[in-house]
Amino acid sequence: MPAEGSGCMEIYTYIKVNTFYASSQLCSVCGYQNTGTKELSVREWTCPKCRAEYDRDINAAKNILAEGLRQIA
């Protein structure tokens, strides 16, 4: 947040990513879609294509950010 009286104003843009976007299934490195991670009990997985290792939630967050940025580009 800017300091009070600094004259700065922050502007935010809200981007909606489709509810059914496969954010936790996509490898954020190579884009491979791992359909074996649909079960919520699968918390960690390794991409069979590029061998990157993932925490489900962190990977999903990276993919949602990338998708939002793609939509506004």
Side-chain angles (χ1 to χ4, degrees):
M1 301 276 313
E4 187 175 330
S6 68
C8 294
M9 186 172 81
E10 294 183 35
I11 299 174
Y12 297 94
T13 301
Y14 175 80
I15 304 296
K16 180 161 175 56
V17 174
N18 187 311
T19 304
F20 299 104
Y21 178 67
S23 61
S24 61
Q25 297 177 27
L26 295 173
C27 173
S28 59
V29 173
C30 72
Y32 175 82
Q33 185 169 357
N34 186 353
T35 56
T37 61
K38 284 185 180 182
E39 290 295 322
L40 293 177
S41 62
V42 178
R43 305 309 306 161
E44 296 177 349
W45 62 280
T46 301
C47 176
K49 188 172 179 185
C50 72
R51 309 303 301 162
E53 295 181 358
Y54 291 109
D55 171 279
R56 177 190 193 95
D57 298 329
I58 293 172
N59 181 57
K62 289 178 182 179
N63 286 327
I64 290 169
L65 174 61
E67 176 64 10
L69 293 173
R70 185 194 68 77
Q71 288 182 24
I72 63 172

